[in-house]
Amino acid sequence: MITLDELYALYKKSSAVTIDSRKIQGGELFFAFSGENFNAATLAHEAVQNGALAVIVEDENFADVQQNIYYVPSTLQTLQNLAKYHRQQLSIPIIALTGSNGKTTTKELIHAVLSQKFNVQYTLGNLNNHIGVPLTLLSINEKHEMAIVEMGANHQQEIALLCEIAQPDYGYITNFGKAHLEGFGGFEGVIKGKSEMYSYLMAHQKTILVNAEDEIQVEKAKGYSPKISFGNEWLHTVNYGFEEIVQAHRVGVRYKNRDIWSQLTGVYNYTNLCAAVALGLHFEVELEKIQQGITNYFPSNMRSQIEKRGAYNIVVDTYNANPSSMELSLKNFKDFEGYKIAILGDMLELGEVSHEEHKKIYQFAKGLGIDEIYTVGKFFMEINHEKSFEKTQELAQYLATNPLLQGHVLLKGSRGMKLEQLLDEVRKV
């Protein structure tokens, strides 16, 4: 069985770490994960033939030291141990963030700002879980000057584990919302689970970034130092004071009479922008460079995107949804001038409160005066008996022969609903 020191020596020689044999191009360290229906160890010899430097398997039957195929009891545990060990060799600051809503957008905004001055590695895509975080850490090399690690969680103790692996120097919780209620055991469980980041940072005397307008954050970080605080400029107790600015559905921040505009829609992105600007200021990025980083960031991940098509806008927010983010998206959408059409997809992982939360959102949407509401998914079908479809493709087929009236269109739903598949039909408006 290979030791951690031996494995780290292999890692240092490798071109990359991967868990996907299809991505092997030459020199990779391949961790062959096993699942209920598949054992990647069966691909070990093929991976070596395709150029993998070494393969780590948890099935001893496929180990072959002569072929650089090494056995470990658990590929997952070994990957995490390797990432933690690598982290301990790094002297660069690592910024971690989690939260119910906005963490990926915030991560990308922080990267957009800090990369104006530093060589920054950051979580790519949604690699933010117990596998993704180790892979992100192992992608950090000697050229990087700092790193941003996004942490996702759907149950207790997950953030605690990820913090022990990543060992962040700075941490930020975007917010506490009604996400993954089933796994966390309700809203109080969400607060407890996300706050595991605070527990780690406080135990190791690391820095907390606090939104001074979030009562939960303020209470959790009360009396603690070191911390960086931000909020509206009239809050004289904050380190960095901002003012919200909105124009033509774009949101920005004003800092010391300088307007910093983003390409994002939704006032709910204001605090995401504040967090990025505050960290930029803390790390002494020039204000002009901060402005440049924010303004030049264009969302392309199905989060708060506006696609302009002639005289109407399509708001694409289909990467994820929970009651908190759904309500914020709808509030923002109601301020669009003109005919408004909302297409809402089911919110997943809500457990026993699914029916109640979908009912609340549907009634909330109806009360905003939105002209048309279409829903997709079995939960919304229990509530909406008008323009309701069980599957996204069913609505797509309907729209093919029943095109939408001209106006503004909101697409908002959980990732599993894949509402972006409607874009081709909606674009025909």
Side-chain angles (χ1 to χ4, degrees):
M1 188 171 70
I2 190 169
T3 67
L4 185 57
D5 285 338
E6 291 170 336
L7 181 58
Y8 193 66
L10 281 174
Y11 160 74
K12 295 295 285 183
K13 295 177 183 177
S14 69
S15 59
V17 177
T18 184
I19 60 171
D20 188 344
S21 64
R22 296 168 297 182
K23 294 184 178 180
I24 293 174
Q25 297 179 336
E28 291 86 357
L29 181 57
F30 172 46
F31 280 77
F33 276 64
S34 300
E36 292 182 9
N37 302 314
F38 185 71
N39 182 4
T42 60
L43 302 173
H45 283 90
E46 180 183 342
V48 172
Q49 291 171 4
N50 289 340
L53 174 69
V55 180
I56 309 302
V57 299
E58 59 185 13
D59 188 333
E60 205 163 5
N61 295 319
F62 292 92
D64 186 345
V65 177
Q66 299 303 316
Q67 293 291 314
N68 288 336
I69 302 173
Y70 301 96
Y71 166 76
V72 296
S74 167
T75 50
L76 173 60
Q77 187 66 57
T78 302
L79 178 70
Q80 292 173 344
N81 290 343
L82 178 63
K84 183 175 181 179
Y85 185 77
H86 178 54
R87 167 63 183 110
Q88 292 168 343
Q89 315 312 309
L90 300 171
S91 58
I92 64 173
I94 288 185
I95 302 165
L97 69 157
T98 188
S100 299
N101 307 312
K103 54 185 175 291
T104 298
T105 299
T106 305
K107 170 204 69 182
E108 296 200 349
L109 288 169
I110 294 171
H111 174 259
V113 167
L114 295 180
S115 62
Q116 297 296 312
K117 181 178 180 179
F118 305 98
N119 186 331
V120 184
Q121 181 60 308
Y122 69 121
T123 301
L124 296 177
N126 63 341
L127 292 175
N128 63 9
N129 63 5
H130 59 298
I131 298 173
V133 167
L135 289 174
T136 296
L137 292 169
L138 291 168
S139 71
I140 301 171
N141 60 45
E142 63 277 359
K143 296 179 181 179
H144 295 125
E145 298 172 290
M146 61 173 56
I148 308 163
V149 180
E150 179 184 335
M151 298 180 179
N154 56 21
H155 58 265
Q156 306 285 345
Q157 294 303 309
E158 194 165 6
I159 295 299
L161 169 66
L162 298 180
C163 283
E164 287 295 335
I165 296 171
Q167 301 173 17
D169 301 288
Y170 297 81
Y172 176 55
I173 302 175
T174 58
N175 49 52
F176 304 88
K178 294 181 178 180
H180 305 296
L181 296 179
E182 185 175 22
F184 279 114
F187 182 58
E188 290 302 318
V190 171
I191 296 174
K192 182 179 178 182
K194 300 297 183 183
S195 295
E196 289 166 9
M197 179 174 287
Y198 287 146
S199 298
Y200 176 87
L201 295 168
M202 290 177 175
H204 295 82
Q205 282 297 295
K206 302 299 184 180
T207 303
I208 295 175
L209 178 64
V210 176
N211 173 7
E213 296 177 70
D214 185 313
E215 293 180 0
I216 301 175
Q217 290 188 39
V218 171
E219 179 61 30
K220 292 288 183 180
K222 187 176 181 180
Y224 177 75
S225 181
K227 66 183 174 186
I228 306 165
S229 60
F230 67 83
N232 278 341
E233 58 184 358
W234 48 264
L235 290 171
H236 302 298
T237 57
V238 298
N239 297 110
Y240 303 105
F242 303 104
E243 181 183 348
E244 174 189 304
I245 51 176
V246 181
Q247 186 179 67
H249 311 300
R250 289 172 60 206
V251 63
V253 298
R254 179 173 292 144
Y255 178 71
K256 292 188 175 179
N257 296 318
R258 183 188 288 261
D259 291 352
I260 303 174
W261 288 103
S262 77
Q263 306 298 330
L264 296 167
T265 184
V267 293
Y268 49 85
N269 276 307
Y270 166 66
T271 54
N272 300 336
L273 291 166
C274 289
V277 176
L279 282 173
L281 293 168
H282 176 77
F283 285 105
E284 300 182 344
V285 181
E286 294 179 9
L287 191 54
E288 184 176 344
K289 292 290 188 180
I290 292 174
Q291 183 177 26
Q292 183 176 317
I294 294 291
T295 302
N296 291 338
Y297 168 69
F298 289 86
S300 58
N301 50 16
M302 297 178 288
R303 293 177 170 91
S304 301
Q305 293 171 235
I306 294 185
E307 291 204 11
K308 293 186 179 294
R309 290 293 185 273
Y312 70 92
N313 301 300
I314 304 174
V315 181
V316 186
D317 201 354
T318 62
Y319 193 84
N320 209 348
N322 56 59
S324 303
S325 66
M326 187 76 83
E327 186 174 317
L328 290 170
S329 290
L330 286 165
K331 280 182 179 178
N332 177 64
F333 189 59
K334 79 175 178 59
D335 292 330
F336 280 54
E337 294 182 4
Y339 200 80
K340 293 182 282 291
I341 304 165
I343 300 178
L344 309 178
D346 272 0
M347 303 172 289
L348 307 180
E349 297 185 57
L350 296 181
E352 61 183 20
V353 299
S354 291
H355 180 85
E356 176 187 350
E357 293 295 341
H358 282 83
K359 183 178 180 179
K360 286 180 181 177
I361 287 297
Y362 182 67
Q363 291 175 338
F364 179 76
K366 295 278 282 187
L368 292 176
I370 293 172
D371 298 286
E372 291 187 71
I373 301 174
Y374 292 79
T375 60
V376 180
K378 63 179 184 180
F379 293 118
F380 271 128
M381 282 194 78
E382 296 174 358
I383 310 302
N384 178 19
H385 304 297
E386 299 174 9
K387 298 172 180 177
S388 185
F389 301 82
E390 184 175 359
K391 297 180 180 179
T392 300
Q393 283 305 310
E394 292 176 5
L395 177 53
Q397 292 169 8
Y398 174 83
L399 293 178
T401 55
N402 299 272
L404 299 172
L405 296 175
Q406 284 198 359
H408 305 293
V409 182
L410 169 66
L411 299 177
K412 178 66 177 177
S414 282
R415 179 84 290 274
M417 303 310 297
K418 299 180 180 179
L419 290 186
E420 69 278 1
Q421 294 177 355
L422 297 171
L423 280 172
D424 287 341
E425 295 302 331
V426 174
R427 285 174 179 142
K428 295 177 183 178
V429 176

